[in-house]
Amino acid sequence: MISVFGSANMDLVAFVPVAPKRGETVTGHRFRTVPGGKGANQAIAAARAGGEVAFLGAVGDDGFGAEMRTALAEAGVEVHGLRQVPGPSGIAHIVVDDEGGNSIIVVPGANGTITGPSGEDLAAIAGSRALLLQLELPMEAVVAGAQAGTVSGVPVYLTPAPAQQLPDELLDAVTVIVPNEHEAAAITGVTRPEDAMEALLDRVEEVVITLGSEGALYGSRSGSRLRVPAVKVEAVDTTAAGDTFVGALAVARTEGMDVPGALRFASVAAALSVRREGASTSMPTRREIEDTLG
């Protein structure tokens, strides 16, 4: 079982030729609502990649909350740990341009009410083979989740997004940190990804830095260093590529794939996701990933 302790947002997605500048109004092509949030995205990505997944988080008592619960369940994610709280669910306002780039505004809603894992969450984490965390919950909740994983001997994967300075107590509890190159630079103050990776390895056992169309870097304290090339595709929407990568990586590692194989598996999953619009709706199935791997 892979547990994901994180955010669930309804994505409000506007598709535009070019993203508006400050003070500018542009006319969009289309608008969609798509279940998302970095936590829910990673849970759905892992489930579609073949993992057994439980989601731990919160939604509001509004229509968006009900839709997100249904979307997770239909993707094969266990949702007994998805609590309902009074008030609105989290939302993300996403602008996607014709080159597949995006900009995102997140309003936490129900996600902001979580201060830590519940008793049921702790039991789920303790019975897991991996715990996935992100930074769309309050920091105290993320730290408590990571520490719960460490106490139980569960590998803790952290996606440090949205990028911010990370407290020592969080990094001390993380097994694998998976930032993109911009997040790695923001955390370490080092621009070159290879140097940022070395800085992160001073604190975390394993580091994977995703580089978009340039692939991914991997390093471990044991001395391993790898660079995995990206699968070349025409990007339509990059919104959930990073979450797809992490979800697929966790599945591959928990199944016992070696590091190079797991990184290739995750890279293919991420590449397939950018060929389709949306976040959770873009994530590939296990069969699609394996067919591409050949």
Side-chain angles (χ1 to χ4, degrees):
M1 174 72 77
I2 296 170
S3 288
V4 182
F5 182 48
S7 59
N9 295 322
M10 183 59 74
D11 292 346
L12 313 177
V13 190
F15 295 89
V16 298
V18 179
K21 301 179 179 65
R22 184 175 182 179
E24 182 183 17
T25 299
V26 299
T27 299
H29 304 312
R30 287 175 297 114
F31 175 79
R32 296 179 64 193
T33 57
V34 183
K38 297 194 73 63
N41 286 345
Q42 291 182 6
I44 291 172
R48 288 190 175 161
E52 184 181 355
V53 185
F55 182 71
L56 315 173
V59 292
D61 56 4
D62 54 5
F64 286 161
E67 287 184 56
M68 286 186 283
R69 183 181 298 276
T70 297
L72 284 159
E74 289 180 345
V77 177
E78 171 56 60
V79 293
H80 285 151
L82 179 57
R83 65 192 83 166
Q84 183 184 87
V85 300
S89 298
I91 65 98
H93 181 273
I94 303 173
V95 175
V96 180
D97 64 35
D98 280 354
E99 294 183 355
N102 65 74
S103 57
I104 305 173
I105 300 170
V106 174
V107 182
N111 300 303
T113 68
I114 300 177
T115 57
S118 67
E120 291 183 357
D121 294 341
L122 292 173
I125 290 169
S128 300
R129 299 185 64 190
L131 172 64
L132 307 189
L133 301 170
Q134 322 78 34
L135 300 181
E136 289 184 343
L137 298 182
M139 183 60 75
E140 63 180 314
V142 179
V143 171
Q147 291 173 337
T150 298
V151 167
S152 299
V154 176
V156 177
Y157 291 69
L158 174 67
T159 302
Q164 57 189 280
Q165 290 302 304
L166 305 178
D168 290 342
E169 59 264 36
L170 176 56
L171 287 172
D172 290 344
V174 170
T175 311
V176 186
I177 190 167
V178 192
N180 63 31
E181 58 188 309
H182 307 294
E183 292 154 0
I187 294 165
T188 64
V190 179
T191 302
R192 186 169 176 264
E194 291 83 357
D195 295 334
M197 182 173 70
E198 298 303 326
L200 287 168
L201 284 170
D202 288 339
R203 302 303 312 277
V204 177
E205 184 177 336
E206 295 180 80
V207 178
V208 181
I209 299 180
T210 58
L211 306 172
S213 62
E214 298 303 313
L217 295 174
Y218 169 85
S220 72
R221 286 182 175 174
S222 67
S224 296
R225 300 291 185 272
L226 294 171
R227 187 176 191 118
V228 178
V231 177
K232 300 301 181 184
V233 296
E234 184 175 347
V236 173
D237 181 0
T238 61
T239 301
D243 295 329
T244 303
F245 183 98
V246 174
L249 178 66
V251 170
R253 294 291 296 273
T254 58
E255 290 183 356
M257 289 188 200
D258 61 17
V259 170
L263 291 170
R264 285 194 297 272
F265 185 88
S267 294
V268 166
L272 293 174
S273 76
V274 306
R275 300 190 309 176
R276 294 191 284 249
E277 294 175 351
S280 61
T281 53
S282 72
M283 295 164 177
T285 64
R286 179 64 173 252
R287 182 171 181 174
E288 289 175 315
I289 297 169
E290 290 181 339
D291 284 349
T292 303
L293 282 168

